[in-house]
Amino acid sequence: MRANRAAFEQLGLRPRMGVTRGAPSLGTTVLGTEISMPLLLSPVGFTRLLHRDGDVAGARAADAAGTLFTLSTMSGHAMEDVATAAGRPQWFQLYFVGGRPGAELLIDRARAAGFRVLVVTLDTQITGLRERDIGNGLYGLTKVTSRNVVRFAPQFVPHPPWLLDFARDGFRLEIANTSHLHPGGRPFALHEALTSMATHPPTWEDLAWVCQRWPGPVVAKGVLNGEDAKRAVECGVAALVVSNHGGRQLDGVPATLPALIEVLDSVGHEVEVLVDGGVRRGSDIARAVALGARAVMAGRAWAYALAGGGRAGVSRILEMFRVDLDRTLRLLGCDSVASLDRSYLTIPAWDR
Ligand SMILES: Cc1cc2nc3c(=O)[nH]c(=O)nc-3n(C[C@H](O)[C@H](O)[C@H](O)COP(=O)(O)O)c2cc1C
C-alpha cells in the first residue's frame, strides 16, 4: 500500500511553459464509453457498513459526475438496485463465490440487471492477511447478537452518527448478491462468502469461459506482470486493471505504476490498460495517464468519502479529483488528457 503511494510520488512531472490557453479537455473513453475524466470507481466490498446508502450512493455519484462505477460481488446492496440507481450501464466485478456454478448465476443475473462490463478479479485466491481487520474484529461482526453488542461497544459507542446510520439500516450485514447462491437459500455472511471464494479461485480456463459467456467486454483485474497480461489477453479480455488490490493481498508485490510499465510493454498495443492503487489526487490521474494508462480507478478515495458524507461525500471527492486534474494539466502546459504522454514525466529507474 505504501509502495503504491511512493511510486506516484517518485514519478516526476515535466511541465511546459507558455503554451496553456483555456480549460483543458478532461474527457476520454474507456471500452467505448465516454467519461468526463479518466477516473473510475474501483469495486469495494460491503460499503453498506460505511454508510447505509453504500454502493447505491457510489453509483449515483459516479453517474452524476459522468464517470463509471464498478459494483463488487461483495456488495451489501442487491445488484439490481445499484444498476437502476445509475442512468447508464455500469461495471460488475465478479468473484467466484460458489465456484463456476455460482459464477454462472452471478453472470446471468448481472447481465439481466443491465451491467455492461464484467470485471474478473484474479488476485483473491484467498484473502490477504489483513491484520487491522483482525484487530478490529471485522470477521467476528457477522450478526448482531447480545455478545457482539458487548464486544463491539468500545468501537461503536464513540461513533454515534455511524451507529445511528447502521441502526437505521437495520444492522444489515449480509452479502446481498449471494442470496441465490447459498444452499440454505439465504445470503452469505461476509466470512462465508470469503470462504466460498477461496474454495474456487478462477483459473485461466475459467477466465476464458467467462469471456465466452459474457456478451460484453470482460476486464481482468489484479494483473501485475507482462506474462500474466499476455495470458489474460489470450483468454479474450478487452482490458486489464493493473492492481495489487490496494496492497490488501500479497505484501511485497510491486507497486502498481512500475507494474503498469511492464504490462503496457507486453500488451499495451492490444488492449486498454487501467491501473489502481494509491490514487488520491487529480495529479495522480495525470501521472498514470501520461505513463500510458487508459484511465485510473480509485478504491479508498471514494469509500472514505462515502463514510464521511454518503452520496454527497462521493460527489465531493469526484469534484476534487476533477478540479485538481484540470489544475494539473494547466500547470503542465497540456491542453487535454489525450495529449498526455511520457514527455510530461521524469520516470525513475524502478528496478526494471
Ligand atoms: C475495503 C476494501 C474492499 C475492497 N473490496 C474489493 C472487492 O470486493 N473486489 C475487488 O475486486 N477489489 C476490492 N478492493 C480493491 C479495490 O478494488 C482496489 O483495487 C483498491 O482499493 C485500489 O487501491 P486504493 O484503495 O489505494 O485506491 C477493495 C479495497 C478496499 C480498500
mmCIF file of all heavy atoms in Angstrom, residues 42-45 72 74 93 95 121 221 243 245-246 248 276-280 297-301, ligand 1:
data_model
loop_
_atom_site.group_PDB
_atom_site.id
_atom_site.type_symbol
_atom_site.label_atom_id
_atom_site.label_comp_id
_atom_site.label_asym_id
_atom_site.label_seq_id
_atom_site.Cartn_x
_atom_site.Cartn_y
_atom_site.Cartn_z
ATOM 1 N N SER A 42 -13.284 1.975 -8.256
ATOM 2 C CA SER A 42 -12.933 0.563 -8.085
ATOM 3 C C SER A 42 -14.008 -0.138 -7.252
ATOM 4 O O SER A 42 -14.663 0.495 -6.420
ATOM 5 C CB SER A 42 -11.619 0.425 -7.308
ATOM 6 O OG SER A 42 -10.524 0.897 -8.028
ATOM 7 N N PRO A 43 -14.128 -1.464 -7.448
ATOM 8 C CA PRO A 43 -15.075 -2.194 -6.595
ATOM 9 C C PRO A 43 -14.575 -2.266 -5.159
ATOM 10 O O PRO A 43 -13.417 -2.597 -4.921
ATOM 11 C CB PRO A 43 -15.090 -3.594 -7.219
ATOM 12 C CG PRO A 43 -13.779 -3.724 -7.936
ATOM 13 C CD PRO A 43 -13.423 -2.334 -8.397
ATOM 14 N N VAL A 44 -15.428 -1.943 -4.226
ATOM 15 C CA VAL A 44 -15.091 -2.031 -2.794
ATOM 16 C C VAL A 44 -16.206 -2.824 -2.122
ATOM 17 O O VAL A 44 -17.381 -2.472 -2.235
ATOM 18 C CB VAL A 44 -14.958 -0.620 -2.163
ATOM 19 C CG1 VAL A 44 -14.734 -0.729 -0.653
ATOM 20 C CG2 VAL A 44 -13.806 0.149 -2.801
ATOM 21 N N GLY A 45 -15.826 -3.900 -1.446
ATOM 22 C CA GLY A 45 -16.821 -4.793 -0.843
ATOM 23 C C GLY A 45 -17.494 -4.149 0.360
ATOM 24 O O GLY A 45 -16.909 -3.355 1.091
ATOM 25 N N SER A 72 -18.944 -4.320 -6.578
ATOM 26 C CA SER A 72 -18.340 -5.565 -6.096
ATOM 27 C C SER A 72 -19.397 -6.656 -5.933
ATOM 28 O O SER A 72 -20.525 -6.376 -5.522
ATOM 29 C CB SER A 72 -17.673 -5.296 -4.748
ATOM 30 O OG SER A 72 -17.334 -6.498 -4.114
ATOM 31 N N MET A 74 -19.275 -8.484 -3.562
ATOM 32 C CA MET A 74 -19.447 -8.490 -2.108
ATOM 33 C C MET A 74 -20.247 -7.293 -1.597
ATOM 34 O O MET A 74 -20.055 -6.846 -0.468
ATOM 35 C CB MET A 74 -18.076 -8.498 -1.431
ATOM 36 C CG MET A 74 -17.163 -9.592 -1.900
ATOM 37 S SD MET A 74 -17.828 -11.207 -1.527
ATOM 38 C CE MET A 74 -17.054 -11.463 0.022
ATOM 39 N N GLN A 93 -18.153 -6.415 -10.841
ATOM 40 C CA GLN A 93 -16.938 -7.180 -10.524
ATOM 41 C C GLN A 93 -17.320 -8.556 -10.004
ATOM 42 O O GLN A 93 -18.098 -8.682 -9.065
ATOM 43 C CB GLN A 93 -16.103 -6.414 -9.486
ATOM 44 C CG GLN A 93 -14.855 -7.148 -9.025
ATOM 45 C CD GLN A 93 -15.093 -7.958 -7.760
ATOM 46 O OE1 GLN A 93 -15.840 -7.529 -6.888
ATOM 47 N NE2 GLN A 93 -14.469 -9.134 -7.654
ATOM 48 N N TYR A 95 -16.565 -12.235 -8.367
ATOM 49 C CA TYR A 95 -15.803 -13.221 -7.602
ATOM 50 C C TYR A 95 -16.489 -14.562 -7.806
ATOM 51 O O TYR A 95 -17.719 -14.619 -7.922
ATOM 52 C CB TYR A 95 -15.830 -12.896 -6.107
ATOM 53 C CG TYR A 95 -14.809 -11.900 -5.623
ATOM 54 C CD1 TYR A 95 -15.171 -10.931 -4.684
ATOM 55 C CD2 TYR A 95 -13.487 -11.937 -6.053
ATOM 56 C CE1 TYR A 95 -14.236 -10.019 -4.197
ATOM 57 C CE2 TYR A 95 -12.558 -11.022 -5.567
ATOM 58 C CZ TYR A 95 -12.936 -10.072 -4.649
ATOM 59 O OH TYR A 95 -12.011 -9.180 -4.171
ATOM 60 N N THR A 121 -11.864 -10.382 -10.944
ATOM 61 C CA THR A 121 -10.714 -10.149 -10.066
ATOM 62 C C THR A 121 -9.953 -11.453 -9.885
ATOM 63 O O THR A 121 -10.527 -12.470 -9.474
ATOM 64 C CB THR A 121 -11.185 -9.581 -8.710
ATOM 65 O OG1 THR A 121 -11.843 -8.334 -8.961
ATOM 66 C CG2 THR A 121 -10.012 -9.349 -7.765
ATOM 67 N N LYS A 221 -8.796 -8.002 -13.569
ATOM 68 C CA LYS A 221 -8.256 -7.085 -12.540
ATOM 69 C C LYS A 221 -7.307 -7.844 -11.618
ATOM 70 O O LYS A 221 -7.629 -8.946 -11.161
ATOM 71 C CB LYS A 221 -9.422 -6.505 -11.728
ATOM 72 C CG LYS A 221 -9.015 -5.636 -10.538
ATOM 73 C CD LYS A 221 -10.227 -4.931 -9.949
ATOM 74 C CE LYS A 221 -9.875 -4.053 -8.768
ATOM 75 N NZ LYS A 221 -9.707 -4.778 -7.506
ATOM 76 N N SER A 243 -3.336 -3.998 -10.830
ATOM 77 C CA SER A 243 -3.799 -3.728 -9.465
ATOM 78 C C SER A 243 -3.140 -4.691 -8.504
ATOM 79 O O SER A 243 -2.952 -5.866 -8.834
ATOM 80 C CB SER A 243 -5.326 -3.917 -9.413
ATOM 81 O OG SER A 243 -5.816 -3.832 -8.088
ATOM 82 N N HIS A 245 -4.671 -4.739 -5.532
ATOM 83 C CA HIS A 245 -5.793 -4.750 -4.596
ATOM 84 C C HIS A 245 -5.585 -3.686 -3.500
ATOM 85 O O HIS A 245 -5.971 -3.865 -2.344
ATOM 86 C CB HIS A 245 -5.933 -6.146 -3.967
ATOM 87 C CG HIS A 245 -7.359 -6.579 -3.752
ATOM 88 N ND1 HIS A 245 -8.004 -7.477 -4.559
ATOM 89 C CD2 HIS A 245 -8.261 -6.251 -2.792
ATOM 90 C CE1 HIS A 245 -9.235 -7.689 -4.109
ATOM 91 N NE2 HIS A 245 -9.413 -6.946 -3.042
ATOM 92 N N GLY A 246 -4.925 -2.604 -3.870
ATOM 93 C CA GLY A 246 -4.651 -1.558 -2.886
ATOM 94 C C GLY A 246 -3.725 -2.026 -1.782
ATOM 95 O O GLY A 246 -3.729 -1.490 -0.675
ATOM 96 N N ARG A 248 -3.781 -4.994 -0.351
ATOM 97 C CA ARG A 248 -4.507 -5.795 0.646
ATOM 98 C C ARG A 248 -4.333 -7.293 0.450
ATOM 99 O O ARG A 248 -4.878 -8.081 1.213
ATOM 100 C CB ARG A 248 -6.000 -5.465 0.568
ATOM 101 C CG ARG A 248 -6.335 -4.097 1.081
ATOM 102 C CD ARG A 248 -7.703 -3.640 0.606
ATOM 103 N NE ARG A 248 -8.798 -4.505 0.990
ATOM 104 C CZ ARG A 248 -9.418 -4.455 2.165
ATOM 105 N NH1 ARG A 248 -9.032 -3.613 3.082
ATOM 106 N NH2 ARG A 248 -10.435 -5.254 2.418
ATOM 107 N N ASP A 276 -4.962 0.780 -10.745
ATOM 108 C CA ASP A 276 -5.426 1.353 -9.483
ATOM 109 C C ASP A 276 -4.429 1.068 -8.376
ATOM 110 O O ASP A 276 -3.473 0.318 -8.546
ATOM 111 C CB ASP A 276 -6.865 0.917 -9.134
ATOM 112 C CG ASP A 276 -6.992 -0.494 -8.566
ATOM 113 O OD1 ASP A 276 -5.972 -1.147 -8.283
ATOM 114 O OD2 ASP A 276 -8.143 -0.944 -8.398
ATOM 115 N N GLY A 277 -4.654 1.736 -7.227
ATOM 116 C CA GLY A 277 -3.755 1.586 -6.075
ATOM 117 C C GLY A 277 -3.032 2.876 -5.772
ATOM 118 O O GLY A 277 -2.111 3.263 -6.494
ATOM 119 N N GLY A 278 -3.468 3.586 -4.744
ATOM 120 C CA GLY A 278 -2.772 4.794 -4.313
ATOM 121 C C GLY A 278 -3.223 6.070 -5.004
ATOM 122 O O GLY A 278 -2.591 7.104 -4.826
ATOM 123 N N VAL A 279 -4.299 6.012 -5.790
ATOM 124 C CA VAL A 279 -4.769 7.222 -6.474
ATOM 125 C C VAL A 279 -5.500 8.104 -5.452
ATOM 126 O O VAL A 279 -6.535 7.713 -4.912
ATOM 127 C CB VAL A 279 -5.708 6.856 -7.653
ATOM 128 C CG1 VAL A 279 -6.316 8.105 -8.265
ATOM 129 C CG2 VAL A 279 -4.940 6.053 -8.695
ATOM 130 N N ARG A 280 -4.936 9.265 -5.178
ATOM 131 C CA ARG A 280 -5.510 10.146 -4.151
ATOM 132 C C ARG A 280 -5.773 11.560 -4.658
ATOM 133 O O ARG A 280 -6.453 12.329 -3.996
ATOM 134 C CB ARG A 280 -4.545 10.270 -2.954
ATOM 135 C CG ARG A 280 -4.156 8.943 -2.309
ATOM 136 C CD ARG A 280 -5.275 8.358 -1.450
ATOM 137 N NE ARG A 280 -4.849 7.131 -0.800
ATOM 138 C CZ ARG A 280 -4.977 5.903 -1.309
ATOM 139 N NH1 ARG A 280 -5.554 5.737 -2.492
ATOM 140 N NH2 ARG A 280 -4.568 4.850 -0.650
ATOM 141 N N MET A 297 -8.364 3.874 -11.605
ATOM 142 C CA MET A 297 -9.510 3.589 -10.742
ATOM 143 C C MET A 297 -9.089 3.928 -9.308
ATOM 144 O O MET A 297 -7.904 3.889 -8.988
ATOM 145 C CB MET A 297 -9.914 2.125 -10.850
ATOM 146 C CG MET A 297 -10.269 1.718 -12.271
ATOM 147 S SD MET A 297 -10.755 -0.024 -12.414
ATOM 148 C CE MET A 297 -12.478 0.052 -11.905
ATOM 149 N N ALA A 298 -10.061 4.256 -8.468
ATOM 150 C CA ALA A 298 -9.742 4.569 -7.072
ATOM 151 C C ALA A 298 -10.706 3.822 -6.169
ATOM 152 O O ALA A 298 -11.917 3.760 -6.440
ATOM 153 C CB ALA A 298 -9.851 6.069 -6.839
ATOM 154 N N GLY A 299 -10.169 3.239 -5.091
ATOM 155 C CA GLY A 299 -10.985 2.489 -4.129
ATOM 156 C C GLY A 299 -11.199 3.268 -2.839
ATOM 157 O O GLY A 299 -12.272 3.804 -2.595
ATOM 158 N N ARG A 300 -10.126 3.367 -2.046
ATOM 159 C CA ARG A 300 -10.280 4.025 -0.738
ATOM 160 C C ARG A 300 -10.818 5.448 -0.870
ATOM 161 O O ARG A 300 -11.583 5.908 -0.020
ATOM 162 C CB ARG A 300 -8.942 4.051 -0.009
ATOM 163 C CG ARG A 300 -8.546 2.691 0.557
ATOM 164 C CD ARG A 300 -7.180 2.784 1.210
ATOM 165 N NE ARG A 300 -6.685 1.521 1.684
ATOM 166 C CZ ARG A 300 -6.074 0.602 0.929
ATOM 167 N NH1 ARG A 300 -5.912 0.811 -0.362
ATOM 168 N NH2 ARG A 300 -5.642 -0.518 1.460
ATOM 169 N N ALA A 301 -10.399 6.169 -1.896
ATOM 170 C CA ALA A 301 -10.797 7.584 -2.005
ATOM 171 C C ALA A 301 -12.317 7.714 -1.941
ATOM 172 O O ALA A 301 -12.855 8.543 -1.207
ATOM 173 C CB ALA A 301 -10.245 8.195 -3.287
HETATM 174 C C1 LIG B 1 -12.237 -2.011 1.907
HETATM 175 C C2 LIG B 1 -11.867 -2.507 0.544
HETATM 176 C C3 LIG B 1 -12.636 -3.508 -0.047
HETATM 177 C C4 LIG B 1 -12.321 -3.973 -1.340
HETATM 178 N N1 LIG B 1 -13.139 -4.906 -1.920
HETATM 179 C C5 LIG B 1 -12.865 -5.330 -3.173
HETATM 180 C C6 LIG B 1 -13.739 -6.244 -3.826
HETATM 181 O O1 LIG B 1 -14.759 -6.642 -3.290
HETATM 182 N N2 LIG B 1 -13.404 -6.650 -5.081
HETATM 183 C C7 LIG B 1 -12.274 -6.214 -5.722
HETATM 184 O O2 LIG B 1 -12.007 -6.618 -6.848
HETATM 185 N N3 LIG B 1 -11.446 -5.335 -5.125
HETATM 186 C C8 LIG B 1 -11.722 -4.876 -3.878
HETATM 187 N N4 LIG B 1 -10.899 -3.960 -3.286
HETATM 188 C C9 LIG B 1 -9.734 -3.437 -4.038
HETATM 189 C C10 LIG B 1 -10.144 -2.218 -4.867
HETATM 190 O O3 LIG B 1 -10.982 -2.565 -5.931
HETATM 191 C C11 LIG B 1 -8.914 -1.517 -5.443
HETATM 192 O O4 LIG B 1 -8.142 -2.439 -6.186
HETATM 193 C C12 LIG B 1 -8.035 -0.825 -4.401
HETATM 194 O O5 LIG B 1 -8.819 -0.272 -3.369
HETATM 195 C C13 LIG B 1 -7.202 0.262 -5.081
HETATM 196 O O6 LIG B 1 -6.349 0.900 -4.172
HETATM 197 P P1 LIG B 1 -6.728 2.275 -3.417
HETATM 198 O O7 LIG B 1 -7.665 1.894 -2.313
HETATM 199 O O8 LIG B 1 -5.415 2.739 -2.920
HETATM 200 O O9 LIG B 1 -7.377 3.194 -4.411
HETATM 201 C C14 LIG B 1 -11.200 -3.462 -2.017
HETATM 202 C C15 LIG B 1 -10.429 -2.452 -1.414
HETATM 203 C C16 LIG B 1 -10.756 -1.964 -0.160
HETATM 204 C C17 LIG B 1 -9.928 -0.847 0.442
#
